[in-house]
Amino acid sequence: MATPLDGTDVVFADLDGVIYKGADAVPFAVESLVDASARARVAYITNNASRTPESVAEHLRELGLPARADDVVNSPQAAVRLLKTLVPAGATILVIGGEGLTTEVTNNGFVVTDSAEDSPAAVIQGFAPHLGWVHLAEASFALHTGIPWVATNTDWTIPVARGIAPGNGTLVSAVHLAVGRLPVFAGKPEKAIFDYARERFHASDPLVIGDRLDTDILGANRAGMRSALVLTGIDQAKQAIAADETMRPTYILEDLRQLDEEYPEVRLDVDGDVTSATVGDAVVRMKAHVVRIAHPGTSRINLLRAACAVVYNSGLRIYGLDVEPAIYS
Ligand SMILES: [Mg+2]
């Protein structure tokens, strides 16, 4: 049996819900990634466009990870890479965003403007807390001419110290309603940010670790990378069982200690109209749309892995399924 880390040359770890939650480190995450770094390069992929790679790395070092700025892949980097394919080198770009994005645009040889009057060749948009109507209006004026529009990410919300606030997707949406078209997006779950990360780290068999099916795992699947869903953040057992075929992870982990523990084989047996999945000593059976525990076994995570295997194999969607609640509660 192999561990998820076996054969992995680069780990692409998500941050929120994987390494930290607010100000606190996720249990076992830091020590597990430090151990993993002895066997693979550990890098980080984040949609957060308002923090520079250096400030992300500094936060990770405070938590105990040996992170450097060049270990961090963020959505402004992926957005500017996309921008380069759309406009000539050295073009004037209307930047709607913060210092992280402006710096990235400038470092890539473009001229930055904040006014539609300068006839920009494209608009690039990312989150910054100071953005207001004046900035969104400039974007609208420029975009009415039909020039390319690149956005760092689609996140509707952004978690801040006082709660949940509108994120980049919400601000992009305001411009979208004014101009009647959508930008191209670069961040997770788009393939662009994963392709960029693969190229930058010369990764041949990377492993994406994330806590969200609709960003981390969907993006990894689109980019053809193995993925591990870790149940320390947003998505839990219920969401894992319900994942449609675009968002199914290669591995399901309770916490990051399991990154380098043997991943049990999943065995499927078909007997007439009954399919059984066995993982370790857990057995889950599915007949028509009914999913039941045949043997609970001694490990909750293996029970979930077995349930996911039998459901994923069935080709049925969760809406029509009757899943025994003990599997996911
Ligand atoms: Mg996350």
Side-chain angles (χ1 to χ4, degrees):
M1 280 195 294
T3 83
L5 203 55
D6 285 345
T8 300
D9 57 347
V10 188
V11 167
F12 291 128
D14 174 49
L15 301 178
D16 217 322
V18 172
I19 296 173
Y20 52 73
K21 261 180 171 169
D24 303 322
V26 167
F28 312 113
V30 170
E31 49 270 51
S32 301
L33 288 173
V34 168
D35 288 348
S37 68
R39 297 184 51 202
R41 174 93 191 253
V42 175
Y44 308 92
I45 301 192
T46 176
N47 269 359
N48 191 323
S50 61
R51 293 163 75 193
T52 62
E54 183 45 47
S55 84
V56 171
E58 195 182 318
H59 183 197
L60 294 172
R61 284 196 298 272
E62 282 166 16
L63 295 173
L65 285 160
R68 300 187 315 251
D70 61 4
D71 296 328
V72 179
V73 176
N74 66 12
S75 59
Q77 292 167 347
V80 171
R81 185 173 180 264
L82 209 53
L83 181 69
K84 282 175 160 177
T85 67
L86 298 170
V87 297
T92 297
I93 308 298
L94 176 58
V95 180
I96 308 296
E99 200 195 331
L101 186 59
T102 306
T103 307
E104 196 60 36
V105 172
T106 309
N107 287 349
N108 280 275
F110 295 108
V111 177
V112 169
T113 181
D114 59 5
S115 170
E117 300 274 293
D118 292 334
S119 307
V123 173
I124 192 165
Q125 183 169 0
F127 178 78
H130 72 273
L131 292 180
W133 180 89
V134 172
H135 309 97
L136 303 182
E138 286 303 319
S140 302
F141 303 148
L143 288 168
H144 275 301
T145 63
I147 58 172
W149 180 19
V150 179
T152 55
N153 61 298
T154 52
D155 301 38
W156 293 114
T157 55
I158 187 160
V160 292
R162 290 174 57 206
I164 301 294
N168 195 51
T170 308
L171 298 177
V172 165
S173 189
V175 179
H176 156 67
L177 291 172
V179 300
R181 65 186 169 113
L182 282 167
V184 287
F185 291 99
K188 295 185 277 189
E190 299 305 319
K191 202 169 158 281
I193 193 166
F194 294 92
D195 286 344
Y196 167 65
R198 189 205 308 267
E199 203 178 291
R200 201 170 107 188
F201 292 91
H202 309 288
S204 57
D205 192 3
L207 175 68
V208 173
I209 304 173
D211 69 312
R212 289 187 68 130
L213 296 162
D214 63 354
T215 53
D216 306 310
I217 308 303
L218 175 61
N221 286 343
R222 284 174 170 171
M225 297 179 182
R226 286 182 300 124
S227 63
L229 173 71
V230 59
L231 305 177
T232 52
I234 299 279
D235 285 327
Q236 297 300 313
K238 213 171 191 172
Q239 289 80 29
I241 295 170
D244 75 36
E245 60 275 12
T246 65
M247 302 185 194
R248 292 172 180 169
T250 319
Y251 311 103
I252 303 171
L253 312 179
E254 270 175 313
D255 63 58
L256 287 191
R257 285 176 300 183
Q258 291 172 347
L259 196 55
D260 207 14
E261 289 175 9
E262 285 185 348
Y263 199 85
E265 190 196 349
V266 177
R267 208 181 72 223
L268 284 169
D269 297 293
V270 182
D271 181 10
D273 59 352
V274 178
T275 303
S276 306
T278 305
V279 180
D281 58 0
V283 186
V284 173
R285 225 161 255 159
M286 182 165 184
K287 182 177 178 176
H289 66 290
V290 180
V291 181
R292 291 284 178 267
I293 298 171
H295 191 276
T298 48
S299 152
R300 286 197 51 79
I301 191 75
N302 281 345
L303 187 64
L304 173 63
R305 288 163 176 162
C308 287
V310 84
V311 170
Y312 295 175
N313 174 70
S314 73
L316 295 175
R317 292 297 304 278
I318 192 70
Y319 315 112
L321 294 178
D322 171 7
V323 178
E324 188 166 342
I327 295 173
Y328 57 80
S329 56

